[in-house]
Structure formats: structure tokens, C-alpha cells
Amino acid sequence: MECPICKGEKCIKMSAIELYEGLMDLFFKYQDPESDVTFKKYPTVGEIGACEETGKKIWYCPYCKKPFPENYKTNEVTIICPHCGKTLCIPVSNRTFC
């Protein structure tokens, strides 16, 4: 799979995609779209590698199955996929509240 940043072939870890898609199968099985809890309502974006040229993390959408560069904002816990427009949670490791 091609890196969305440098277009290289080594940046994305296919094993990470396989693991992530398995976890998303479970998420969608138990998803609660009516929940007030963000991580029960929306899937967490997959972190599937980092660009070898820039070091920027590469995320993956479970809906459209496409990679994109990380794109979170301070004080936000969700993002919109730039490809399909679906709402996704950002990984806990990327949530910045200060």
C-alpha cells in the first residue's frame, strides 16, 4: 500500500492493517451509535505506520479502508476521514488537551 505522504511502499505496515481490521470487526459488532461515550459510538482510527521521510504517523479508516496522514486538532477527540467523511476517534496516544 502506498504512503499517502511520500508515496513510498515501506511506510505502511500491512500486519498492522490486518490486526486493526480484526479489532474493527469486534468494534462494529458491539458498536453503540446511541451512546454518549465517543469511543463506543465511533471507531478509533488505525495507526498503521509512519512516513519514512517525514516521520508523520499514517492513519487508516475502517470504513473506506484508505490511509491518510494524521490530522488531529488540540482539544478534539474525533476527526473526519478525508476520503469518506466518516467520524473517527483519534488514538488515545494522540489526544492533546494542554
Side-chain angles (χ1 to χ4, degrees):
M1 187 175 285
E2 186 178 271
C3 175
I5 302 166
C6 73
K7 309 301 181 210
E9 294 290 329
K10 296 180 181 178
C11 304
I12 294 175
K13 308 297 181 223
M14 295 308 292
S15 59
I17 292 174
E18 290 172 15
L19 178 63
Y20 174 73
E21 287 181 340
L23 292 171
M24 285 300 98
D25 288 343
L26 287 173
F27 172 83
F28 288 120
K29 182 177 180 179
Y30 297 105
Q31 180 182 21
D32 183 2
E34 304 303 318
S35 179
D36 292 333
V37 180
T38 306
F39 69 86
K40 290 182 179 181
K41 189 173 189 173
Y42 304 113
T44 300
V45 67
E47 195 170 297
I48 59 165
C51 178
E52 289 190 346
E53 288 185 18
T54 66
K56 192 169 186 174
K57 293 177 185 173
I58 301 168
W59 287 350
Y60 185 79
C61 177
Y63 294 106
C64 65
K65 304 199 182 303
K66 293 181 181 177
F68 58 94
E70 65 182 344
N71 63 355
Y72 61 91
K73 295 178 184 173
T74 302
N75 296 326
E76 307 235 352
V77 296
T78 61
I79 61 162
I80 302 298
C81 174
H83 300 293
C84 69
K86 299 279 191 174
T87 301
L88 305 166
C89 288
I90 60 171
V92 174
S93 61
N94 294 94
R95 295 181 187 166
T96 307
F97 295 102
C98 40

